Amino acid sequence: MTKIRINTINKYYVHLEKNSDNLTNILADYQNRKFLIISDENVWREQGENLIKSFKDNSFEYDKVVLKPGEETKSLETCNRIYYELSKRNMTRSDILVAFGGGVVGDLTGFVASTYLRGIKFIQIPTSLLAQADSSIGGKVGVNLPQGKNLVGSFYNPEFVYINTAFLNSLDEKEWNNGMAEIIKAGLIKDKYLFEQIDKLNKNELMENILELLYLALEVKRKLVEEDFRDTGSRMLLNFGHTFGHAFEKQANFKNLRHGEAVGLGMIVALLIGEQRNFHSKEIREKLTKNLFKIGLPINYKKYLNKETFDILLKDKKIINGFLNMILLKDIGNSVIEKIALDDIGEVKKCLL
Ligand SMILES: NC(=O)c1ccc[n+]([C@@H]2O[C@H](COP(=O)([O-])OP(=O)(O)OC[C@H]3O[C@@H](n4cnc5c(N)ncnc54)[C@H](O)[C@@H]3O)[C@@H](O)[C@H]2O)c1
Ligand SMILES: [Zn+2]
């Protein structure tokens, strides 16, 4: 088992493992608590038994709330339901919520934990590749409003994160690809070695070596989160590919394009802009496109990139004080925050469309 220590406002460990199962031992430190596990129907059906074994082995008192899968579940209505379940069981600040699922369950459970009784303990056990590579660390928790995604939230860290890649066995391929996009992103912004590894391996080898890739991607995120927990500076580098990616997701109504797929296309566009500015050659974009294609992620950014994309960017308050903050690369593993003046956006648009 590997451990990563995250040093932010409070310190916690990310435990990473592949074939072993140390959750029972890790949980043994939490005697005499009540646990409420939050999960979704898919995850519970496929992996529930594998999880509760560790609670049973410790003779722990636990219960579960299994939610409908999907982004709609990440809402204030679901928070209310969980608040009700917590109060019904008289759970206190020393009791523990367990987020067992993808990013939806993680963000939602973390937000409930951060607000119930002004903060109760919670544990992250991510089961999707996206959640294992990205959303389960960094402390961002929250829910959606009808007006938009992630509009309500806070920064709140778990007791620990437990990542076991065995949970990924039941994940479908599209979801797996989705998470790979964020791992590629981590390599491009901060870790040339990680990107080279991805470039070198075929799809089966990527799956076989997922633990090492996850470790490297989490190290990239750890460093940025430790430097800038509240996301006002260097942490923004994690948004590489997300400016256009978010716009593409919107254009596809969050249905026909998954987050990772949109981020992959957004990274291609960010590299095109870098080329226009002579930050780097087109070789990086060619390599990225080759790797997205190898994994099975879409590469046809022209399908989405149009006038509407720019309308969304301008409307989405991505413009701050007259500038659009874009993350661009100088090289593989070297990223910068570039402020593009509103006046120059017309020029960018002309070159891209
Ligand atoms: N907090 C952060 O820093 C952060 C970062 C990135 C994304 N997010 C959030 O994460 C969410 C997306 O996360 P996601 O992609 O994991 O989506 P998700 O939680 O909806 O999971 C995707 C699908 O995979 C299924 N699934 C998950 N694990 C499985 C398993 N082991 N076996 C079978 N099926 C499984 C789920 O039931 C779901 O249908 C979004 O709400 C996004 O805003 C948060
Ligand atoms: Zn993302």
Side-chain angles (χ1 to χ4, degrees):
M1 190 173 58
T2 315
K3 272 207 280 192
I4 300 177
R5 186 179 137 118
I6 316 268
N7 254 317
T8 52
I9 38 170
N10 51 321
K11 294 164 193 40
Y12 60 98
Y13 283 101
V14 179
H15 304 271
L16 267 164
E17 60 185 345
K18 191 176 176 181
N19 295 319
S20 46
D21 183 359
N22 280 293
L23 184 59
T24 304
N25 297 337
I26 300 166
L27 281 172
D29 286 346
Y30 296 88
Q31 300 292 330
N32 304 319
R33 324 281 182 123
K34 278 188 258 185
F35 293 87
L36 186 63
I37 302 165
I38 312 297
S39 190
D40 78 24
E41 287 162 7
N42 296 335
V43 175
W44 196 255
R45 187 186 58 242
E46 300 293 335
Q47 301 291 346
E49 282 298 317
N50 295 334
L51 177 82
I52 51 180
K53 187 183 150 297
S54 298
F55 288 87
K56 285 184 178 156
D57 287 350
N58 275 304
S59 308
F60 282 169
E61 189 184 331
Y62 69 91
D63 209 343
K64 62 176 198 300
V65 176
V66 179
L67 305 165
K68 285 233 161 317
E71 194 63 38
E72 298 76 41
T73 290
K74 217 176 99 173
S75 68
L76 287 171
E77 288 76 47
T78 318
C79 290
N80 262 331
R81 173 164 170 216
I82 303 173
Y83 294 142
Y84 170 75
E85 302 285 349
L86 287 164
S87 60
K88 200 169 78 181
R89 292 172 178 77
N90 294 319
M91 286 184 67
T92 67
R93 276 194 185 164
S94 58
D95 295 325
I96 302 181
L97 267 175
V98 180
F100 184 56
V104 163
V105 166
D107 280 13
L108 169 82
T109 307
F111 182 69
V112 169
S114 78
T115 44
Y116 190 69
L117 302 178
R118 295 197 179 81
I120 67 170
K121 293 183 194 308
F122 91 112
I123 293 169
Q124 284 273 24
I125 308 186
T127 61
S128 70
L129 186 57
L130 184 128
Q132 295 196 342
D134 188 5
S135 66
S136 65
I137 78 156
K140 282 191 186 176
V141 295
V143 295
N144 305 325
L145 292 183
Q147 292 78 9
K149 276 193 67 175
N150 297 322
L151 288 180
V152 175
S154 54
F155 288 95
Y156 194 69
N157 285 324
E159 280 293 297
F160 65 83
V161 182
Y162 174 74
I163 296 176
N164 193 330
T165 56
F167 291 134
L168 302 175
N169 293 343
S170 51
L171 199 65
D172 76 34
E173 190 181 347
K174 273 206 150 228
E175 288 305 335
W176 200 88
N177 299 349
N178 204 26
M180 266 318 288
E182 298 282 4
I183 298 180
I184 292 180
K185 177 202 75 183
L188 285 175
I189 60 171
K190 273 274 178 213
D191 186 347
K192 190 167 187 173
Y193 173 76
L194 168 57
F195 186 77
E196 280 170 352
Q197 289 299 103
I198 295 169
D199 191 43
K200 213 171 67 183
L201 303 175
N202 67 32
K203 185 150 184 186
N204 277 338
E205 291 165 338
L206 286 173
M207 287 177 158
E208 280 159 21
N209 290 284
I210 197 64
L211 190 72
E212 191 199 353
L213 303 176
L214 272 172
Y215 176 80
L216 295 172
L218 289 172
E219 274 292 287
V220 169
K221 186 152 182 183
R222 175 188 67 76
K223 286 177 198 146
L224 292 170
V225 165
E226 286 183 350
E227 253 170 51
D228 174 27
F229 183 57
R230 291 200 178 264
D231 200 10
T232 56
S234 56
R235 183 168 177 170
M236 283 191 256
L237 297 175
L238 291 164
N239 291 339
F240 179 60
H242 283 61
T243 307
F244 281 84
H246 284 150
F248 295 155
E249 276 185 289
K250 259 205 170 149
Q251 284 172 273
N253 288 325
F254 295 100
K255 288 204 181 82
N256 305 320
L257 204 56
R258 287 170 206 229
H259 179 71
E261 295 174 338
V263 168
L265 298 175
M267 292 194 285
I268 299 179
V269 176
L271 291 174
L272 278 164
I273 296 173
E275 286 162 35
Q276 281 167 16
R277 300 189 163 226
N278 290 321
F279 278 23
H280 50 77
S281 70
K282 67 175 196 303
E283 205 186 308
I284 304 182
R285 179 165 49 92
E286 288 167 355
K287 267 196 178 168
L288 169 65
T289 308
K290 184 188 88 187
N291 280 285
L292 294 173
F293 184 75
K294 170 177 87 185
I295 287 162
L297 284 159
I299 53 174
N300 184 9
Y301 64 91
K302 289 186 180 153
K303 186 171 166 195
Y304 296 95
L305 187 65
N306 53 37
K307 191 181 156 295
E308 193 196 351
T309 318
F310 286 88
D311 294 343
I312 292 174
L313 286 185
L314 297 177
K315 239 193 356 233
D316 252 11
K317 303 193 184 67
K318 298 263 185 203
I319 312 286
I320 302 165
N321 298 332
F323 289 95
L324 175 70
N325 277 332
M326 277 280 305
I327 311 306
L328 300 180
L329 297 194
K330 288 282 185 181
D331 196 357
I332 296 176
N334 180 7
S335 49
V336 291
I337 304 173
E338 176 80 349
K339 285 184 184 313
I340 300 180
L342 206 50
D343 294 346
D344 295 340
I345 291 181
E347 189 59 30
V348 173
K349 190 168 157 183
K350 217 167 72 195
C351 294
L352 288 177
L353 296 185

